[in-house]
Amino acid sequence: MLLLGIETSCDDTATALVRDGRHVLASVSTDQDAFHAKYGGIVPEIASRQHVALLSAAVEDALARAKLALEEVDGIAVTCGPGLIGSLVVGVASAKALAFALEKPLYGVNHLHGHIFAAFLDRAEPQYPFLALLVSGGHSQVVRVESPTRMEILGRTKDDAAGEAYDKTARLLGLPYPGGPELDLLAQRGDPRAHAFPRHRPDRGTLDLSFSGLKTSVRYFLESEDGKRAKKEDVAASFQAAVVDVLIARVAAAFAQRDYAAVVLSGGVAANSALQAALREWSARNGVEALIPPPQYCTDNAAMIAAAAYYQRDAAIVDPLTLSADPNLSFSLSSRGRA
Ligand code: KG4
Ligand code: ZN
């Protein structure tokens, strides 16, 4: 089954051709960082205008790279939420038009489900149940995945998402947007034990996360006399060590509660070098398989959307005439209206 994936939920205009949910024939992503950088963050109106300008060419580019014609695809998979409404509607409208014109099935995919299945691209099939640590710019969640359509959120952030904490702290350190990858690089030259920033502990019986206290603590430290003298590399490494400790603690707590076949890392922050190293080390110590997507599938891409659609198949089929983008799309598949 060959699916064309389309992802425009935020600021990446992405398309992909994926066979059987795993074999990536082409994955194209045109990031818009250059258009947003001078504003220090994503400007939704600019993002949607850029999607309009870039999407048709991105579809053609993916087809050309895979040496395929549009008529050869078996269906279209598109992110229908959550995300920026103006951005989502561009991808959804294009996917609806393509599916209608080609008379091929249309799959409406939750962006976060896409991130979870990114770990299986160019790899083996998922073994269930697995634990997904989903850490992106907008979400931080610990998810039990029983099957492609049965997923339970065990813990979520009470305030900032992990990527948001990275981006805000990077800004405090004077790093350019987007800050996560920049902070990661800076931290590699610093001492993670230089400063003791707080680690959030969840309420009893929950696996919830929180990063706003950590970010505020870094801010107060940077404003202090000690902070003004501190090396930025050390502050970055110490902040990162706190984020990584908290995330690994949640994975360990989830495994202590129930059994899993593997742990899957996903979302933009999965690209973080310290988090990857810590998860690999934890999984080796505990005899658990860790699946971490290659960098190009950690951040937003369309191959993961085609993958999720393949695994969810009938449960993700939607009507090309009535599908609408939903910026607040619920994580649960069962709560969605179907074709
Ligand atoms: O999944 P994603 O591409 O977009 C969302 O769905 O949010 O995640 C983007 C987030 C940004 O906050 C970015 O700073 C963060 O992922 N990120 C990183 C790294 N690469 C991307 N954070 C820490 N270290 C990285 N290497
Ligand atoms: Zn994302």
Side-chain angles (χ1 to χ4, degrees):
M1 180 161 140
L2 175 69
L3 292 180
L4 168 67
I6 296 180
E7 153 63 44
T8 64
S9 68
C10 194
D11 66 333
D12 292 287
T13 313
T15 55
L17 286 153
V18 181
R19 202 178 290 285
D20 297 340
R22 292 200 305 286
H23 310 295
V24 183
L25 308 183
S27 179
V28 173
S29 185
T30 315
D31 87 54
Q32 307 177 359
D33 287 352
F35 301 103
H36 301 281
K38 69 177 169 203
Y39 303 103
I42 295 161
V43 182
E45 181 62 22
I46 294 178
S48 46
R49 282 166 190 261
Q50 289 299 328
H51 287 312
V52 171
L54 296 167
L55 185 54
S56 298
V59 170
E60 280 172 25
D61 195 5
L63 289 165
R65 285 175 197 228
K67 300 192 173 57
L68 288 166
L70 201 45
E71 292 69 28
E72 291 177 82
V73 307
D74 298 311
I76 318 285
V78 65
T79 305
C80 55
L84 300 171
I85 184 63
S87 291
L88 286 165
V89 293
V90 179
V92 167
S94 301
K96 286 167 73 170
L98 284 170
F100 184 73
L102 295 167
E103 296 183 29
K104 297 280 166 78
L106 178 63
Y107 301 88
V109 176
N110 184 307
H111 180 78
L112 302 173
H113 297 176
H115 273 304
I116 289 175
F117 288 96
F120 303 99
L121 291 167
D122 294 336
R123 310 247 186 115
E125 266 201 66
Q127 300 294 311
Y128 300 95
F130 62 84
L131 184 81
L133 178 62
L134 202 171
V135 275
S136 74
H139 294 82
S140 299
Q141 292 174 346
V142 183
V143 185
R144 179 176 171 89
V145 185
E146 296 271 357
S147 77
T149 53
R150 280 187 53 214
M151 308 185 213
E152 183 191 353
I153 298 177
L154 305 175
R156 49 158 59 94
T157 184
K158 299 206 280 192
D159 36 63
D160 292 348
E164 200 178 351
Y166 262 96
D167 293 339
K168 288 178 177 171
T169 305
R171 204 172 175 160
L172 294 175
L173 290 166
L175 299 172
Y177 171 86
E182 296 279 340
L183 197 154
D184 188 358
L185 284 175
L186 190 68
Q188 286 167 26
R189 304 197 305 271
D191 176 3
R193 284 178 300 267
H195 310 289
F197 293 127
R199 272 79 169 151
H200 172 259
R201 284 181 196 283
D203 294 335
R204 264 180 98 82
T206 85
L207 295 176
D208 284 343
L209 297 148
S210 164
F211 295 106
S212 73
L214 169 62
K215 176 200 65 195
T216 307
S217 166
V218 174
R219 180 157 68 83
Y220 285 152
F221 175 72
L222 286 171
E223 285 165 7
S224 72
E225 288 311 311
D226 282 352
K228 285 180 190 143
R229 283 191 297 270
K231 279 172 62 187
K232 282 189 177 178
E233 290 83 350
D234 289 346
V235 179
S238 302
F239 159 82
Q240 181 159 278
V243 174
V244 170
D245 275 0
V246 164
L247 294 175
I248 299 294
R250 294 305 181 276
V251 171
F255 271 79
Q257 288 171 4
R258 286 161 92 178
D259 284 337
Y260 295 92
V263 56
V264 162
L265 189 58
S266 63
V269 182
N272 185 262
S273 61
L275 180 58
Q276 291 195 359
L279 190 71
R280 288 217 167 85
E281 198 261 325
W282 180 87
S283 63
R285 200 157 18 91
N286 291 279
V288 172
E289 187 185 13
L291 290 155
I292 302 175
Q296 69 273 26
Y297 303 141
C298 286
T299 45
D300 290 351
N301 65 87
M304 69 183 197
I305 302 304
Y310 171 80
Y311 289 113
Q312 296 183 334
R313 236 109 23 126
D314 292 354
I317 288 214
V318 286
D319 185 340
L321 292 177
T322 58
L323 175 68
S324 52
D326 182 351
N328 303 312
L329 184 66
S330 159
F331 188 80
S332 152
L333 255 171
S334 59
S335 68
R336 294 176 55 189
R338 295 275 134 217

